[in-house]
Amino acid sequence: MLRLVKVTKVYGDPRDPENAASAVTALDGVTLSLPAGSFTAVMGPSGSGKSTLLQCAAGLDRPDSGIVMVDGEELTGGTEAELTKFRRRHIGFVFQQYNLLDTLTVAQNTTLPLKLAGRRVDRRRAREILTQVGLGDRLDHRPDQLSGGQRQRVAIARALVAEPRVIFADEPTGALDTRSARDVLRLLQDAVRVHGRTVVMVTHDPVAASYADSVLFLADGRLAGELRAPSVDAVAERLAHLGDDRDDRDRSGAGAAYAGV
Ligand code: ADP
Ligand code: MG
């Protein structure tokens, strides 16, 4: 369902002598393949390229080289307009800070992707999808009348409303309390198990990662391992040792960053 081949993303221009030193290779030749109906967590130290990976995979950003394919369609091929159209139809995105529009109601926020895609927007569809996330009675509320957990559930409803094939979530539980986080994780899990969607979620929380079918670890913009059927302990253990084989690199890096988790 999702395929990346040698995807590289560099911020800053390495050919520009003025800025060469500040150029950052955020993704360094990432190749991966995720089957339809899978739930994958992406983990790694801060700055390891997790968000860049999601943005490139979701077509929100363009890699400098490499190929991204979603359901057999190459995202990296077409024009900006074609990419936007494809994204609106087939991809949902959930952000850590919800990214809801404060001036719109819950129902309007939820159906915005349909509206942008020129599809029919009806209130029944809004009610149906918001009921699925437990907010069927909040259609006319504004985001600022909701808790963080409720806002993120609206964001998930918005990501699901167009029935996309793939849903990307960048630290969707990062701003939530334990209970709201669990609600959000169960919704993402249901999207996979009940509705057959493919979910890719960045998280730094081993508990959140344990909801996934497998965990991909990133370090310095490269894949640094995979863990299938992850348990909380196994994830924490792997994180603690991430970067151990990078011999003489800074010991306060990857592993130590997770020591307090
Ligand atoms: P993560 O999500 O794992 O914390 P990111 O993908 O956000 O990592 O960032 C990877 C690297 O790319 C970091 O070194 C970061 O500073 C750099 N980076 C991310 N976005 C930009 C940007 N827009 N401009 C310049 N550098 C960036
Ligand atoms: Mg990030």
Side-chain angles (χ1 to χ4, degrees):
M1 177 54 61
L2 176 70
R3 197 165 152 69
L4 273 65
V5 183
K6 294 186 181 167
V7 169
T8 294
K9 176 79 188 178
V10 180
Y11 290 110
D13 187 352
R15 288 160 305 182
D16 172 358
E18 300 249 320
N19 292 311
S22 62
V24 173
T25 303
L27 288 180
D28 192 1
V30 173
T31 295
L32 59 83
S33 194
L34 304 180
S38 58
F39 186 178
T40 305
V42 178
M43 306 189 85
S46 180
S48 58
K50 304 181 297 296
S51 292
T52 305
L53 176 70
L54 246 58
Q55 303 264 339
C56 287
L60 291 170
D61 201 351
R62 282 192 186 259
D64 292 299
S65 62
I67 293 171
V68 177
M69 296 190 81
V70 174
D71 200 17
E73 188 117 2
E74 190 183 333
L75 289 195
T76 31
T79 64
E80 207 60 43
E82 285 166 346
L83 177 59
T84 301
K85 197 171 164 202
F86 183 86
R87 205 175 52 222
R88 285 183 180 152
R89 191 161 280 280
H90 300 300
I91 293 172
F93 210 102
V94 179
F95 303 87
Q96 179 173 351
Q97 294 301 335
Y98 330 125
N99 290 16
L100 301 176
L101 296 176
D102 288 333
T103 53
L104 300 183
T105 65
V106 164
Q108 289 167 335
N109 266 288
T110 302
T111 52
L112 194 57
L114 298 178
K115 195 168 178 179
L116 291 173
R119 288 160 74 176
R120 197 165 63 94
V121 174
D122 72 36
R123 200 171 158 84
R124 235 182 358 181
R125 176 66 183 143
R127 188 185 302 282
E128 178 185 62
I129 196 85
L130 284 163
T131 302
Q132 265 182 41
V133 302
L135 294 171
D137 55 350
R138 302 295 177 115
L139 268 68
D140 297 316
H141 283 65
R142 305 265 167 189
D144 65 7
Q145 297 172 304
L146 302 178
S147 70
Q150 289 170 330
R151 286 183 210 195
Q152 194 61 302
R153 283 189 274 146
V154 175
I156 288 177
R158 180 181 59 186
L160 295 173
V161 75
E163 309 200 304
R165 296 174 196 178
V166 188
I167 295 148
F168 295 96
D170 196 348
E171 308 220 20
T173 61
L176 304 181
D177 59 84
T178 309
R179 198 174 148 190
S180 302
R182 194 186 56 201
D183 292 342
V184 160
L185 291 162
R186 284 186 179 156
L187 287 170
L188 292 173
Q189 209 170 41
D190 278 357
V192 175
R193 294 200 182 153
V194 181
H195 302 283
R197 309 207 190 287
T198 304
V199 172
V200 185
M201 170 183 76
V202 168
T203 183
H204 59 262
D205 176 9
V207 174
S210 72
Y211 281 74
D213 307 320
S214 82
V215 183
L216 294 177
F217 295 93
L218 265 188
D220 292 336
R222 295 192 195 134
L223 283 182
E226 179 180 8
L227 189 61
R228 286 171 195 264
S231 69
V232 179
D233 287 348
V235 172
E237 169 76 16
R238 188 73 79 91
L239 281 174
H241 296 291
L242 201 59
D244 272 5
D245 54 352
R246 295 186 301 158
D247 49 21
D248 59 352
R249 303 253 186 117
D250 179 7
R251 285 284 155 194
S252 67
Y258 283 97
V261 172

